[in-house]
Amino acid sequence: MGRSVARFVVLCKRLALLIPALVLLATIGKAIAAPDAGAAPPTQQSAAVTVDGRELFTVIGVPAYPARARAQRIAERILAIAEDPGFSVEQLRIEEEKDQTVILAGDKRLFVIIDEDAAQQGLARAHYVTVVTSAIGVAVDRHREERTAAYLWKGAAVAAGLLGLLALLLWSSRWLLRRLLAAVQRRYRSSLEALEARSSGMVDAERFETMLLGSIRALWWLLAAVAVFASIEAILEIFPWTRVAGRWLFELVLGPLETMLDAVRRSLPNLAFLAILYIVVRYLLRFLELFFTAVGRGAIRLGTFAPEWALPTFKVARVGVVAFAVVIAYPYIPGSSTDAFKAISVFLGVLVSLGSTSILANVIAGYTLLYRRSFNAGDYVKIGEFTGAIRSVESQVTRLCTLQNEEVVIPNSLILNGEVVNYSKHARAGQLALHSTVTIGYDVPWRQVEAMLVEAARRTEGLLQEPRPFVHKLALQDFFVQYEINVYCDDATRMPRLYSELHANILDVFNEHGVQIMSPHFVGQPDERVVVPKARWYESPAARPAPNTRESGER
C-alpha cells in the first residue's frame, strides 16, 4: 500500500509539470494566431472574425483589402467595445445605406456589411445583419463573463478536477496493466512453451510472449496519450487566453487525421474498384497456376509444348497479367495524378532502368535457355571450362555441381553466348559414346590392338555392350598408329568413373599381352619392350585384390 501511495505522489508531481506546458502552449497559440505585421497577408475569398478563440461570422475581401486583414480589424473593434465598461450591448444598432449596412456601437462606427458578405452564406443582407449583430452581443457578454473572478475560480476548479481525474485514471489503469500482464504471463506461458516443443523450435515462445506483452503495453500507451490529449484540450478550452492554443493543438493533432479520413472517403469508389480488380487478378493467376501445373504433370497436352516449359511459361504469364493489372489500376490509385507521385514513379523507373540491365539480360537468357531445352536439372554438361551436373536452372543463374562437389554459379547471359556440351541428352537413349585414344607402334598388328581395346571396354562395368564397341584408326604418325576406342553408356553422370576404369583396363590388357603404348613419344625404337610385367602390377603402394574379386578372377 505504501508503495502505491508513493507512486501516486510521483505521478501527481509529473502531472504538475503540465501547468508550465499549458502556459507555453498558450503562448505558442497566441503567436501563431496573431498575424505577422511584417508580412503581407495573402488575398483570401473569405475569412472568419474570431474573438476569444470563437468564430463569430465570416466576411469577404478584395485585392486591396484582403479578407483576413478585414476580419482581424473587425475583431479588434469588437474586443475594444467589450473591454469598454461604459458600453452596453443594447447600444448596438444598424443603419441602412444604399448598398450596405453599417453596424454602430452607440455613435461609433464598427464596420459595414455588404451584399457579398451575406451571399457567400446564402442569406439576404437583412437576415445576415441580424445574425451578425446577435453574434457580436453574445461575444461581448462572454468576453466580460469569462474574465470575472467567479468564472476563473470555477474554471480553475474544473481544470484541477480534470487533472486529478486524469492522474487517478492513469494510476489505476497502470495498476490494472501490471495485473493484466502478470495474468497473461501465467495463463499463456505454459501453452506457448508446449507450442514451441510441438513445433520443434519453429515457434519461439519467449519472443512470442514478448510481442504479446509489448502489444498490450503499446495499447495502454495509446489510450493514455488519448486521455492526456483530451484533458489538455479541455483545460485549454476553459480559459479565454488559452483557447486559441487549445484549438491550435486540436487542429495540429486531429487535422491530419481528418484530412486522411476525408481522402479515404473520397477515394472509396476507386478503392472498391482496386479491391475488385485484385480479386479478379488473384483468381485469374490461380487458374493459370492450376492449368500450367497440369501441363507440367502431363495431365494436359498442348501439341509440341514440352511439360518442362510449363513453370517458366506460367511465370511469364503471371508477369504479363500483373503488369496489365497495374496499367489498369494506375489511374485509380489515390494520389496517382499528383506531381509528387509522378516524380516518384519516374525516379523509380530511372533506378530500375539503370540498375537492372544485367538482371534483365540474365532473366531473358534464362528463359531462352529453358525454351531452347539446351539442358535440364540433373543433366551432366560442360559449360565453358566447367564440367558437372546441373543442380538448378534459375531465372538469372544456373548452378552446376562439379565432380569435386564444387558449386559453380554461372550467369545465364554467359551461357547463352557460349558453348554448352550436354552429355545426358543422348545418354538416356544409350547413344552417348565414350572414347579414348592410344598410340601403338607399327610392329603391333592393328587387329590385335583393336581386339585388346574391345576387351578393355568389355571389362569395364557400366559400359554398354550393345551397340558393340568399335575402334577407329585415326592417324598413321611417324612412329606409331593412333587408335580410338568408342563404347556407349546410358548414364552421363558416371563418365569420370567410367573413363577411369576404362583407362585402367586398357593398361592391364596391353600389359597382359606385352604390347607397349607409345606414349610418351619415342625418338627411336628401344631394344626392349616398354611394358609392365604382370609380377610388378601390384608393387608398393598398390594392394593386391582379394581372391574372390572380379579383378582377381580375370587375372
Side-chain angles (χ1 to χ4, degrees), residues 380 387-389 401-406 493 496-497:
Y380 196 80
T387 303
C401 185
T402 66
L403 179 64
Q404 291 75 27
N405 205 28
E406 301 167 337
T493 60
R497 187 183 64 82

Side-chain angles (χ1 to χ4, degrees), residues 375-392:
F375 48 77
N376 298 313
D379 287 355
Y380 196 80
V381 299
K382 180 180 181 181
I383 301 176
E385 59 179 307
F386 302 106
T387 303
I390 297 295
R391 177 165 292 181
S392 63

Side-chain angles (χ1 to χ4, degrees), residues 203-217:
V203 177
D204 191 339
E206 183 176 356
R207 180 174 299 179
F208 191 86
E209 180 182 348
T210 302
M211 291 176 56
L212 178 61
L213 299 181
S215 301
I216 297 175
R217 292 191 184 96

Side-chain angles (χ1 to χ4, degrees), residues 177-322:
L177 175 65
R178 290 195 298 269
R179 298 298 185 274
L180 176 62
L181 294 177
V184 169
Q185 286 181 309
R186 289 193 304 270
R187 181 170 182 178
Y188 293 104
R189 175 169 294 177
S190 59
S191 301
L192 292 175
E193 291 177 352
L195 179 61
E196 180 179 7
R198 290 196 301 270
S199 62
S200 301
M202 295 181 62
V203 177
D204 191 339
E206 183 176 356
R207 180 174 299 179
F208 191 86
E209 180 182 348
T210 302
M211 291 176 56
L212 178 61
L213 299 181
S215 301
I216 297 175
R217 292 191 184 96
L219 179 61
W220 181 87
W221 280 107
L222 177 62
L223 297 177
V226 171
V228 171
F229 171 77
S231 301
I232 292 176
E233 201 278 332
I235 292 173
L236 294 177
E237 186 73 19
I238 294 174
F239 303 100
W241 303 283
T242 59
R243 189 171 296 128
V244 174
R247 299 290 173 83
W248 168 78
L249 182 63
F250 183 84
E251 291 295 331
L252 180 66
V253 176
L254 298 184
L257 295 178
E258 184 179 0
T259 302
M260 288 187 289
L261 291 176
D262 183 64
V264 172
R265 178 186 59 79
R266 287 186 281 104
S267 302
L268 281 179
N270 292 341
L271 294 176
F273 175 82
L274 293 176
I276 295 174
L277 179 64
Y278 170 77
I279 295 174
V280 172
V281 171
R282 181 173 181 177
Y283 278 98
L284 177 60
L285 293 177
R286 181 60 177 165
F287 169 76
L288 291 176
E289 182 181 7
L290 294 175
F291 174 77
F292 283 106
T293 300
V295 173
R297 293 198 310 265
I300 298 178
R301 299 184 179 275
L302 301 177
T304 58
F305 190 89
E308 56 266 23
W309 292 348
L311 181 58
T313 304
F314 166 69
K315 293 181 178 179
V316 173
R318 180 174 58 186
V319 172
V321 170
V322 172

Side-chain angles (χ1 to χ4, degrees), residues 21-90:
L22 298 179
V23 177
L24 179 61
L25 286 173
T27 305
I28 295 174
K30 287 186 177 181
I32 293 175
D36 188 358
T43 302
Q44 297 182 358
Q45 186 177 4
S46 63
V49 177
T50 304
V51 176
D52 291 338
R54 295 189 180 96
E55 294 183 1
L56 304 184
F57 51 90
T58 58
V59 293
I60 66 168
V62 293
Y65 194 15
R68 186 172 5 171
R70 183 185 175 199
Q72 181 66 23
R73 182 62 176 166
I74 295 173
E76 291 174 355
R77 292 178 179 179
I78 295 175
L79 285 174
I81 65 173
E83 294 174 355
D84 184 3
F87 175 78
S88 175
V89 176
E90 286 75 12

